[in-house]
Amino acid sequence: RVLSPYLVAVNRIYIQVVIQAISLAVHVTLLVLWIPTMGILGAAWALAVGTAVRWILYLAAVAFFARISVFRILVFNMSDARQIVTASREQLRFAKS
């Protein structure tokens, strides 16, 4: 829910379209291959793999366009916590006024 809006904010909507198309193609391909042999379990695995592919592609795109490491995107640290607290306080002050 954060990675996709970032691509919109930096005007890379076409990247979102490509990512969605790739993940859809993976999902449909796996559905065609796995449902006949695995049934409902094949459908579940196809959905899981398609979703994972989409998330990995979004992660790579955001890391590329933001020019930060994937590690920095995934790992929460104290600096992130301080920024959240500061932003929360500012929002509370704004709401009270």
Side-chain angles (χ1 to χ4, degrees), residues 2 5 18 21 23 25 29 32 39 41 57 62 71 77 80 83 90:
V2 175
V18 170
S23 68
T29 301
V32 169
L41 189 58
L57 292 174
V62 169
F71 179 81
N77 61 34
D80 296 329
Q83 289 178 346
E90 289 174 5

Side-chain angles (χ1 to χ4, degrees), residues 76-88:
F76 185 82
N77 61 34
M78 287 309 293
S79 150
D80 296 329
R82 282 190 289 274
Q83 289 178 346
I84 290 170
V85 168
T86 302
S88 300

Side-chain angles (χ1 to χ4, degrees), residues 44-93:
W45 275 107
L47 176 63
V49 171
T51 301
V53 166
R54 185 176 64 236
W55 183 77
I56 290 166
L57 292 174
Y58 271 126
L59 187 61
V62 169
F64 177 78
F65 289 113
R67 291 185 170 86
I68 57 178
S69 71
V70 170
F71 179 81
R72 177 70 182 102
I73 294 172
L74 294 176
V75 176
F76 185 82
N77 61 34
M78 287 309 293
S79 150
D80 296 329
R82 282 190 289 274
Q83 289 178 346
I84 290 170
V85 168
T86 302
S88 300
R89 286 182 182 155
E90 289 174 5
Q91 289 299 315
L92 289 172
R93 273 189 235 123

Side-chain angles (χ1 to χ4, degrees), residues 6-25:
Y6 174 81
L7 292 175
V8 172
V10 296
N11 199 24
R12 298 291 193 260
I13 296 171
Y14 64 93
I15 298 295
Q16 277 192 293
V17 172
V18 170
I19 290 171
Q20 292 291 346
I22 291 170
S23 68
L24 177 66

